[in-house]
Amino acid sequence: MSDKPVVLLAEELSPATVEALGPAFEIRRTDGADRTRLLADIAEVDAILIRSTTTLDAEAIAAAHRLKVIARAGVGLDNVDIPAATAAGIMVVNAPTSNIISAAELTVGHILGLLRNISQANASLRAGEWKRSAYTGTELYEKKVGIIGLGRIGGLVAERLAPFGTELLAYDPFVTAPRAASLGVRLTDLETLLAEADVITIHMPKTPETIGMLGAEAFAAMKDTAVVVNVARGGLVDERALAQALKEGQIAGAALDVFETEPATGLDLVDLPQVVTTPHLGASTREAQEKAGVSVARSVKLALEGELVPDAVNIAGGPIDADVRPGIALAEKLGRVLTALSTDSPLTSIEVRIAGEIAQKDVSSLRLAALKGVFTDVVSEKVSYVNAPMIAEQRQVETSLVTTPEVEGFRNETTISAILADGTRLSVSGTVTGPKLVEKLTGINGFDFEVNLTDHMLLLDYRDRPGIIAAMGTLLGTAGVNIAGMQVSRAENEERAFSVLALDSPAAPAMVASIRDTIRAGLAAAVSLTD
């Protein structure tokens, strides 16, 4: 029997994938769609490579007695139980940037197809009709294209549309003006973009704030000649509101590659003549599939050789000191909290400060985790430990890691500080304490806390006065949101206070806005640390 590590290929992958693994591994194959065979074949392998057909749930992970790595040759990870894998000490990796060019090109293809009625004219001709005048189109030249979300894919779309002679607008609260200018894009607010754009394409991450971002109100604000494209995430476009807007002539057309529920067969929206749809083909090119396979093959090699794997979506392995490892999840969560505080202006610099005993160790992974957290709810692409620094560099955000053994009150403390384009300074601190490694929030913007980090929180900065807490409780109670815990910190002059509320369920954006207006808060931000 071979003493080589065993890699199981559960689906058809390119020859380049196998070549990238090299001769150091024993390659086995199985059919990931055959559940019985999969559970038998996964038992004695060190790594498994899958695509979208194979489901690795808790049962499959429990059957994998020596599995160290799950590699998804693609971006999505809906078919992998990541918490179960992490609990079992199994690293999960994907290929977060493998499809960005394919997705950008599909976006441009949909834009051109909509404006020139290509799909509809093709269907008509196949039906034996010759209706040239019925499918008179519109030139893209000199049209205004609004890009919602100017991340990696949004930026690639802008680069590809510029040669068409378009005027490019973009809405992205996390992008600086110099970054937009380098792409030839004019930053606007969302209202201006919706009102002016002839073509609107959305490339935002899917978060509670962006679900239904293009809904009835947005469609009403658009030109009646505008068309909408979504190749990013299902749910960013409210499909019922879109159907109504198309039927009423509020907008002229739409192209969708992603849907609220998939498979999207039997969807009434698909039957509307102004709509062009594709079955989630954003990553479905030979090139993207090959890039994804080669990328995860390299990650598998790193993992099985005991190296840090930058593309890991969890960090369950790699040469990370045992004392540093608990801080990885904390740093990522603190990064997401920082992002929630910085919605009004883009970031220009980020400092990750590690204080205490672990500062003497290699804490570079904590910087990666912090950046991953900062950008997770900012960009549409999947953020990993490898592309987070690249995203920061692309957005012209300076980053630094500072270590010091000096810390007050805790053995170790992680602080993420940021400067925004408008000069605002933000900071979030946290620590991991006790034998149960409880993650705690210890500071926000100079206010001191010691409160557990929970899945759903509400952060409020306001002028302290009687009745504030009662008002917050009443509004949340009326909305059916239970307060699981609360801590208030006051400034030294006692004029301002900062409250952190742990909630049992997310606070909807409208609810947050209502609380902000009622108590006249200077800052009101909801944070959800669950995906």
Side-chain angles (χ1 to χ4, degrees):
M1 179 175 291
S2 171
D3 58 357
K4 295 179 179 179
V6 179
V7 177
L8 182 65
L9 307 185
E11 300 182 46
E12 191 65 32
L13 293 161
S14 70
T17 302
V18 178
E19 185 179 341
L21 285 168
F25 304 99
E26 178 186 341
I27 306 298
R28 298 180 187 174
R29 298 179 186 273
T30 190
D31 180 0
D34 184 335
R35 186 70 175 178
T36 301
R37 182 178 170 186
L38 172 69
L39 293 179
D41 290 347
I42 201 175
E44 299 299 330
V45 301
D46 300 284
I48 182 170
L49 273 67
I50 65 172
R51 290 178 62 186
S52 58
T53 301
T54 306
T55 297
L56 295 180
D57 53 14
E59 179 189 30
I61 289 167
H65 305 306
R66 75 183 207 200
L67 191 65
K68 302 177 183 67
V69 190
I70 295 170
R72 163 72 163 95
V75 179
L77 285 163
D78 294 342
N79 54 332
V80 179
D81 189 332
I82 296 174
T86 304
I90 299 169
M91 181 182 296
V92 181
V93 303
N94 67 345
T97 63
S98 60
N99 73 330
I100 59 174
I101 291 176
S102 295
E105 290 184 354
L106 181 61
T107 300
V108 175
H110 268 312
I111 291 171
L112 293 170
L114 277 173
L115 295 181
R116 296 306 301 270
N117 300 308
I118 292 173
S119 179
Q120 298 91 329
N122 175 65
S124 173
L125 189 57
R126 284 177 178 270
E129 302 172 334
W130 187 264
K131 296 182 177 180
R132 294 180 63 194
S133 61
Y135 299 109
T136 300
T138 302
E139 290 183 354
L140 183 55
Y141 178 63
E142 292 187 338
K143 297 300 185 294
K144 291 184 179 181
V145 179
I147 303 172
I148 302 176
L150 201 60
R152 293 288 295 280
I153 296 175
L156 290 172
V157 170
E159 290 176 352
R160 282 149 179 75
L161 289 176
F164 283 90
T166 57
E167 181 180 344
L168 298 171
L169 317 178
Y171 166 72
D172 191 324
F174 299 100
V175 167
T176 61
R179 164 61 181 162
S182 71
L183 293 169
V185 177
R186 173 167 61 93
L187 282 180
T188 72
D189 55 44
L190 184 59
E191 292 73 18
T192 300
L193 184 148
L194 295 175
E196 293 187 8
D198 301 292
V199 177
I200 295 171
T201 177
I202 186 165
H203 302 278
M204 296 292 281
K206 187 175 181 179
T207 68
E209 291 74 26
T210 61
I211 292 175
M213 186 174 186
L214 294 184
E217 186 176 343
F219 298 131
M222 296 178 191
K223 297 178 179 179
D224 58 12
T225 55
V227 297
V228 171
V229 177
N230 182 17
V231 180
R233 297 284 187 274
L236 299 180
V237 175
D238 184 328
E239 292 169 6
R240 290 184 180 180
L242 174 60
Q244 192 66 27
L246 289 165
K247 290 175 183 177
E248 295 179 358
Q250 287 184 317
I251 63 172
L256 303 176
D257 183 56
V258 289
F259 302 87
E260 293 174 6
T261 302
E262 296 182 2
T265 55
L267 191 65
D268 292 340
L269 185 64
V270 175
D271 295 327
L272 294 178
Q274 313 97 308
V275 176
V276 176
T277 56
T278 45
H280 206 146
L281 300 181
S284 295
T285 62
R286 287 187 295 274
E287 294 84 355
Q289 296 301 323
E290 182 159 308
K291 279 184 271 188
V294 170
S295 173
V296 295
R298 290 170 178 164
S299 292
V300 167
K301 285 186 66 176
L302 287 171
L304 295 183
E305 290 168 357
E307 299 294 333
L308 175 65
V309 181
D311 265 341
V313 298
N314 62 349
I315 296 188
I320 301 171
D321 190 280
D323 292 332
V324 175
R325 192 179 300 277
I328 291 172
L330 171 72
E332 185 172 341
K333 291 176 182 178
L334 292 177
R336 296 182 73 172
V337 172
L338 185 80
T339 295
L341 301 175
S342 61
T343 56
D344 292 333
S345 183
L347 298 165
T348 60
S349 69
I350 299 170
E351 178 190 271
V352 181
R353 177 179 290 269
I354 310 300
E357 297 173 0
I358 62 170
Q360 302 174 30
K361 303 178 182 291
D362 180 0
V363 293
S364 56
S365 58
L366 300 184
R367 171 181 169 271
L368 297 176
L371 294 179
K372 183 174 184 286
V374 167
F375 293 113
T376 287
D377 298 320
V378 171
V379 300
S380 60
E381 64 263 32
K382 189 75 175 180
V383 183
S384 72
Y385 301 98
V386 69
N387 69 356
M390 295 166 56
I391 291 171
E393 182 179 356
Q394 182 189 55
R395 288 167 174 259
Q396 300 178 351
V397 179
E398 297 180 2
T399 67
S400 60
L401 174 65
V402 177
T403 59
T404 175
E406 298 178 3
V407 64
E408 293 184 10
F410 305 100
R411 290 180 62 188
N412 301 292
E413 189 173 43
T414 297
T415 299
I416 307 175
S417 303
I419 300 176
L420 309 187
D422 63 4
T424 301
R425 295 176 180 269
L426 302 173
S427 66
V428 179
S429 301
T431 191
V432 179
T433 65
K436 294 185 178 180
L437 301 178
V438 177
E439 297 167 343
K440 291 189 175 183
L441 190 65
T442 59
I444 298 179
N445 295 345
F447 290 91
D448 294 328
F449 295 95
E450 190 171 344
V451 58
N452 291 0
L453 274 168
T454 58
D455 287 345
H456 308 293
M457 295 181 292
L458 181 60
L459 313 177
L460 299 160
D461 182 343
Y462 51 90
R463 185 176 63 82
D464 199 20
R465 57 197 187 279
I468 297 296
I469 294 175
M472 291 189 292
T474 299
L475 289 168
L476 288 166
T478 301
V481 177
N482 188 56
I483 300 174
M486 179 178 181
Q487 192 172 121
V488 180
S489 177
R490 294 204 293 179
E492 290 184 3
N493 59 15
E494 299 187 355
E495 290 184 358
R496 298 206 66 78
F498 202 114
S499 290
V500 176
L501 287 76
L503 308 176
D504 284 342
S505 55
M511 169 54 55
V512 177
S514 177
I515 293 174
R516 180 195 63 221
D517 294 343
T518 299
I519 69 171
R520 300 193 296 279
L523 179 148
V527 180
S528 286
L529 299 178
T530 56
D531 293 324

